[in-house]
Amino acid sequence: MTRGTTEPTAPQAGRPPAKPLSVVAHVLRGVLMGLAELVPGVSGGTIALITGVYERIIDSANHVVTAARKLVTGSERLRSFRSEFARAEWILIIPLLVGMGTALLSLAGVMKHFVETQPELSNGLFLGMVGTSVSVPLLLVDRSDLRSDASRLRVAVIFVVLAAAAFILTSQGTAVAAENPSMLSVFAAAAVAICALVLPGVSGSFLLKVVGLYEPTLGAVDTLDLGYIAVFAAGAIVGLALFVRGLHWLLHHHHTLTMVAMAGLMLGSLRALWPWQDDAGAVMTPDGNWPWVLLLMALGAVGVLTLVAVDRKMSGRDAIAPGEPDLS
């Protein structure tokens, strides 16, 4: 199941300039990713996967991490740093960051209020979205990797095991929000939670909620607590640097297994989004609000299907093989 080791060419090498419509589309993708990161149970990586930019983000992040390493070690450090840094697809990354930043700064307070005051409705909406999204990584599986019985069994085992692991993790109760968290705990939590940004199916916001740092973090963003934000950002950078290279390697050498693993994580994480549960994570029976919950669930599913269809139309992904970077 090993894919070819040839990496995408540098984004700047011989490519036509990005169209204004593409830049706007990247900003909108960033807004959706930022919104997803505000929601416990929904991963920004899931949105990146749905909208067709996931592997391009991982490739670019890997180039940035490699550039930082070359700046510290090796010969001709500055030249090597510039060369590797330029290989990141900045025409994609910068608009994404702009969109994410806009969503986080403008909607943190609103999303916090919505999730806290309407947990059933918000979970119903997100359950429909994430449930529909499980199919996205499965559609990117290379069927040539599933020709033998052994390969199909291996894929099935990975899918089931990771779905079960995610189900167990998301079945745990969440901690009470910390009133004055230590900066060390903020740094450590950010280093772990940021991995969810590049790992579909694992919610960074949910991980923060589990350790009691979800409300303090949204509050810090909403009030522009620069000290808290700086510590969180430092932890996030360290977490990305440690995690992204391994994920990049998996995508390029075990693409099918990685996509199946992501689908399993996404399926198992649906447990966190069951609309009727108490603070300890125990499942409860639906109440009289269930018609509205089901309506929002259906709207979430339709929204994802529409998003996938529109993105494929705009970026021409129908002609792109699974795992091949979308260069629109």
Side-chain angles (χ1 to χ4, degrees), residues 49 130 133-139 141 158-159 162-163 200-201 257-269:
L49 193 60
V130 180
S133 304
V134 173
S135 63
V136 175
L138 294 178
L139 292 174
V141 167
I158 289 175
F159 180 82
L162 289 182
L257 289 179
T258 304
M259 290 294 110
V260 170
M262 290 177 179
L265 288 171
M266 291 168 68
L267 180 64
S269 70

Side-chain angles (χ1 to χ4, degrees), residues 197-229:
L197 180 63
V198 292
L199 188 60
V202 180
S203 167
S205 293
F206 179 77
L207 294 177
L208 291 177
K209 198 166 183 63
V210 168
V211 298
L213 290 177
Y214 176 70
E215 288 84 355
T217 301
L218 283 190
V221 173
D222 190 36
T223 60
L224 293 180
D225 184 342
L226 298 182
Y228 188 108
I229 293 173

